[in-house]
Amino acid sequence: MNDGKKKDCTAVVLSAGQGRRMGSSVQKQYIEIEGRPVIYYTLKAFQESRVIDDIVLVVGKGQEQYAEEEIVQKYQFSKVRAIVEGGAERYDSVWQGLLAIRDGEFPGGGRSDYVFIHDGARMLVDEETLERGYETVLKYRACVAGMPSKDTVKLVDEQAVAVQTPQRKFVWTVQTPQIFEKSLIIEAYSRLMREQCIEVTDDAMAVERMMDVPVKLFEASYENIKITTPEDLAIAESFLRRRNNAVKNES
């Protein structure tokens, strides 16, 4: 990690999604893997990170008390400084998290230099990714975790007819965290909310469109998957067990 004075970093962890594609009555972030909910593993990564100082947890309507008692207090996630209610769409939830930082809704919130925005359903984010992201944002102001695509990608028209095949070396699949200078991302979202630019699908796109600032991609991990379907649960469980076994073997 950078040898200079460390900058203050706050993570906005999004845990307000409905997870309709999961086909479960339990929201995906509360489904248990190895006896603990998905969101536990996500928060644990940020709790234990050398990079992250504070966490804002964004949850669904009416879930604040449950998240406080059954997640934050139960597992002693002391870096979670605020739990806020999200909105109907992802960008609404991000905005609520950013407001908590902007308005200093927790001690030290106003001092944040950088914001890490992360999907709560990406439970396998690791310390190497967080540290790599920190080093990248110091240089570029805006950066996004991702990985080069393993597959050939086709661009299609409205009839699903291929119209272009980008060279694979230029195609990345985008992940989170997406990391930004605090003032940059808050201003980008302020403009986004004023203009109701709802076709923006991720935080990088908000910065690109609203601020005309380029966003640097940095390599994360192919294991940094987003749990969306039942198949993803099985994959995540396999990755988690492998990690745990590796730790046991080292000790």
Side-chain angles (χ1 to χ4, degrees), residues 74-206:
K74 182 176 180 178
Y75 298 111
Q76 300 181 335
F77 289 132
S78 59
K79 287 185 182 179
V80 177
R81 315 293 189 192
I83 300 175
V84 301
E85 181 183 311
E89 303 294 339
R90 184 185 186 279
Y91 62 85
D92 294 313
S93 294
V94 173
W95 180 231
Q96 292 307 310
L98 292 175
L99 286 177
I101 298 171
R102 187 195 70 179
D103 298 341
E105 292 184 11
F106 55 94
R111 71 167 181 253
S112 301
D113 298 299
Y114 297 99
V115 179
F116 287 56
I117 302 173
H118 189 69
D119 297 324
R122 291 189 189 272
M123 57 174 271
L124 294 166
V125 63
D126 57 28
E127 178 66 5
E128 290 78 11
T129 293
L130 298 180
E131 292 190 10
R132 201 151 47 238
Y134 175 76
E135 297 290 349
T136 305
V137 79
L138 290 180
K139 292 176 62 177
Y140 294 96
R141 301 180 66 207
C143 65
V144 171
M147 291 300 290
S149 176
K150 295 179 181 180
D151 302 311
T152 296
V153 173
K154 298 283 186 182
L155 302 183
V156 302
D157 61 18
E158 293 180 357
Q159 285 73 46
V161 175
V163 295
Q164 187 178 346
T165 306
Q167 291 184 55
R168 196 161 61 189
K169 65 181 180 179
F170 296 126
V171 178
W172 284 50
T173 55
V174 172
Q175 304 173 355
T176 64
Q178 303 198 359
I179 312 167
F180 308 92
E181 192 176 82
K182 181 185 74 172
S183 58
L184 177 67
I185 191 62
I186 288 177
E187 180 58 27
Y189 262 88
S190 296
R191 296 181 186 183
L192 176 73
M193 300 308 290
R194 283 198 303 269
E195 298 179 20
Q196 285 296 295
C197 193
I198 59 174
E199 70 271 16
V200 168
T201 55
D202 75 345
D203 314 302
M205 195 172 177

